[in-house]
Amino acid sequence: MFAGFMEAVFNGISISAVLLIAALGLAIVFGLMGVINMAHGELMMLGAYTTFVVQNGCKQLGGVWFEIYIFFALIVAFLLTAAVGWLLERRVIRYLYGRPLETLLATWGVSLILQQFVRSVNSVLVIGIALFLLLFFGSLWILKKRTNFGRIQNWVVAAILLLSGGVAISTGKYLSETYQLAITQPWFGAQNLDVTAPNWLQDGISLLGVQLPYPRLFIIALTIVCVTGIYVFLQRSHWGLRIRAVTQNRSMSACLGIPTQKVDAMTFALGSGLAGIAGCAISLLGSVGPNTGQNYIIDTFMVVVVGGVGNLVGTIVAALGIGTANYLIGSATLASLLTPVKPLADLFAFFATTSMAKATVFALIIVFLQVKPGGIFPQKGRTVDI
């Protein structure tokens, strides 16, 4: 029984590690900008799909490339999701600051777009999007050199938009009719895809009768590296100092010459990159699908709220508590431990499913927030007092 309990605790900690990586980015973004990013789960999904693509590419090369693909996948997933996050902040969220409802709806819409994108993406769609962007922004770049562009900007942009869209759609239709299934076949589709771990991650070790799989140990080690890196970045770097200053008092930071808009964009990109790393870790625990991020996003938000907005230590404590509690309750470990106490055993056996475990933890969090609405470690700063 002891070995089973310790194995359940270990599995809960490994899930907590994934939550922690994802929650780090969300906590920084929410603490700095007050943005509830509903697309954070889809950024995790993009990181998981990036791992799948990198794995397939390295598998074709074979040999040592497949054994080290996970490290390439981590780098590519971070860079890709950071770029998507930077673009999202620059083109959508920047215009919605101070409007939480609109921000929430906008990011929710982006999450739906990303989900449908991975279901439908194929060669025709990628070529069409690339052609549209090339024509639209290339034309704007050329026309902006004209001295009278400001007077004709509105109707020129509308005309270029229609022409670029028409050319992209016509080209896509022509390619579809010419090459048919060869380029219209979805790359991923709606079904879940499996990511194969490198050979050195496909085993485990036994410690005191407890089986410790290498993938979960790798995820825990990855989390430690990420937490350490974020701590050093926030506490020891010039930009980390700026992020902490803007988090505590945005107006005063702007008065002191800190470029708050650049800080916002960089922070959102950093948080999105961490979501991509979390997605890479998720791919080692199960299959990858369009709804992969949705399985973790609620728990991630709970970690941020319970830990205290923008607090690194609180985020760590909350992630460990929520992830481990979810697994212990959902796997019926607590029910088996409490077998001598039949009423309690029956109670926890009733909640011994994934969905019921989440509901139980969520109810406990509501009770906790009634006592400490600011979380374990409430945010400090003059803006909080105001």
Side-chain angles (χ1 to χ4, degrees), residues 20 23 27 299-320 322 365 368-369 372-379:
L20 179 55
D299 289 342
T300 304
F301 273 113
M302 288 195 289
V303 167
V304 174
V305 174
V306 172
V309 176
N311 189 285
L312 184 61
V313 177
T315 303
I316 295 172
V317 174
L320 288 172
I322 292 174
I365 288 173
F368 172 79
L369 292 178
K372 297 199 69 174
I376 300 174
F377 298 99
Q379 189 179 17

Side-chain angles (χ1 to χ4, degrees), residues 1 22 28 31 35 49 67 81 92 95 101 109 124 158 167 199 212 217 222 233 245-246 248 255 288 301 311 351 372:
M1 181 176 290
I28 295 171
V35 173
Y49 273 105
E67 297 300 324
T81 52
V92 178
Y95 305 102
L101 179 59
V124 174
V167 172
N199 294 325
L212 307 179
L217 288 172
L222 175 65
F233 173 75
V246 175
Q248 291 194 11
C255 292
V288 176
F301 273 113
N311 189 285
F351 291 105
K372 297 199 69 174

Side-chain angles (χ1 to χ4, degrees), residues 223-242:
T223 303
I224 294 173
V225 171
C226 289
V227 171
T228 304
I230 290 296
Y231 177 80
V232 172
F233 173 75
L234 291 177
Q235 300 294 327
R236 304 297 181 189
S237 71
H238 183 64
W239 278 100
L241 177 62
R242 291 180 172 184

Side-chain angles (χ1 to χ4, degrees), residues 88-131:
L88 179 61
E89 195 280 334
R90 295 279 293 183
R91 297 304 175 192
V92 178
I93 294 175
R94 173 163 296 186
Y95 305 102
L96 299 175
Y97 287 137
R99 297 154 63 185
L101 179 59
E102 288 86 344
T103 304
L104 187 147
L105 292 175
T107 53
W108 180 59
V110 170
S111 72
L112 296 179
I113 291 172
L114 291 176
Q115 284 185 39
Q116 191 57 44
F117 176 78
V118 298
R119 290 190 183 100
S120 308
V121 63
N122 54 32
S123 300
V124 174
L125 182 61
V126 171
I127 293 172
I129 293 175
L131 184 60

